[in-house]
Amino acid sequence: MKVLVILAHPRPGSFNHAIAGTVVHALKENGHTAYFHDLCAERFDPVLPHDEIPRDAPLDPVVAQHCRELAEADGVIVIHPDWWGQPPAILKGWIDRVVRPGVAYRFLEGDAGEGIPIGLLKARAALVFNTANTPVEREQEVFGDPLERLWKDCIFSFCGVPVFHRRMFSVVVTSTEAERAGWLREAYAITCRYFPPGA
């Protein structure tokens, strides 16, 4: 299987980087191909130019590569911190530029403005790993867990991916080395569960 792995964290050596490394290792160990992108290290430009908005617009070569990999992927894994209940800006810009019409979705013929999508992604499963400094219970009870809604309903379901799983690791700022090691083992196990050998 081909799995697209997207990391969005600005600090090299962060726990998000450790999760990404664990995920890529698990995929390769299970015989899968990982298309891995560290958006910050690669200095991905998150700004969507006006000329790039139309479905058939010519694309920047980097954006075109990401679009090809997303379209070809049998699975997608995204790793990022929870910042203000949202992904970092660089990842939001990646969504704007790469998860685009004609690549990830299209609308029904004769759509009168209802915005009824047909998902185009061939990916059968999507995983999202988040880190946060807010306890999970508070995130759900006080803020309504906006990242779950964003990734599950507004992006992956919208684009036709039938299986979705998200895991939030928190509270990172007060976590111990033992806790982080346990979280990495969990990330490895989740990756293997959804992308097992021979799949």
Side-chain angles (χ1 to χ4, degrees), residues 72-105:
E72 293 173 3
D74 302 296
V76 181
I77 302 177
V78 180
I79 303 110
H80 71 86
D82 178 350
W83 285 357
W84 297 99
Q86 304 170 74
I90 197 168
L91 181 53
K92 176 56 170 68
W94 182 86
I95 296 166
D96 291 345
R97 299 188 75 189
V98 176
V99 186
R100 56 183 287 114
V103 173
Y105 66 92

Side-chain angles (χ1 to χ4, degrees), residues 65-166:
Q65 176 190 347
H66 282 250
C67 288
R68 283 193 304 273
E69 292 174 353
L70 178 62
E72 293 173 3
D74 302 296
V76 181
I77 302 177
V78 180
I79 303 110
H80 71 86
D82 178 350
W83 285 357
W84 297 99
Q86 304 170 74
I90 197 168
L91 181 53
K92 176 56 170 68
W94 182 86
I95 296 166
D96 291 345
R97 299 188 75 189
V98 176
V99 186
R100 56 183 287 114
V103 173
Y105 66 92
R106 66 178 176 86
F107 291 110
L108 288 172
E109 292 294 331
D111 183 279
E114 306 96 304
I116 300 172
I118 296 175
L120 300 179
L121 293 184
K122 66 178 279 194
R124 296 296 87 204
L127 307 180
V128 174
F129 294 105
N130 297 133
T131 57
N133 289 326
T134 302
V136 173
E137 297 78 14
R138 178 173 169 78
E139 186 72 35
Q140 294 172 347
E141 293 171 9
V142 178
F143 304 113
D145 202 1
L147 285 173
E148 180 77 11
R149 186 72 186 273
L150 170 71
W151 286 111
K152 181 180 180 182
D153 299 329
C154 300
I155 297 177
F156 287 120
S157 178
F158 189 95
C159 296
V161 181
V163 176
F164 174 79
H165 180 83
R166 177 172 156 262

Side-chain angles (χ1 to χ4, degrees), residues 17-18 21 28 32 37-38 49 76 85 107-108 119 125 137-138 159 164 172-173 175 179 186:
H17 284 76
K28 291 182 177 178
H32 305 305
H37 292 285
D38 179 338
V76 181
F107 291 110
L108 288 172
E137 297 78 14
R138 178 173 169 78
C159 296
F164 174 79
V172 174
V173 71
S175 63
E179 285 175 314
E186 188 176 349

Side-chain angles (χ1 to χ4, degrees), residues 50-75:
H50 178 267
D51 293 345
E52 199 175 278
I53 293 175
R55 186 179 66 180
D56 298 322
L59 301 178
D60 172 273
V62 171
V63 173
Q65 176 190 347
H66 282 250
C67 288
R68 283 193 304 273
E69 292 174 353
L70 178 62
E72 293 173 3
D74 302 296

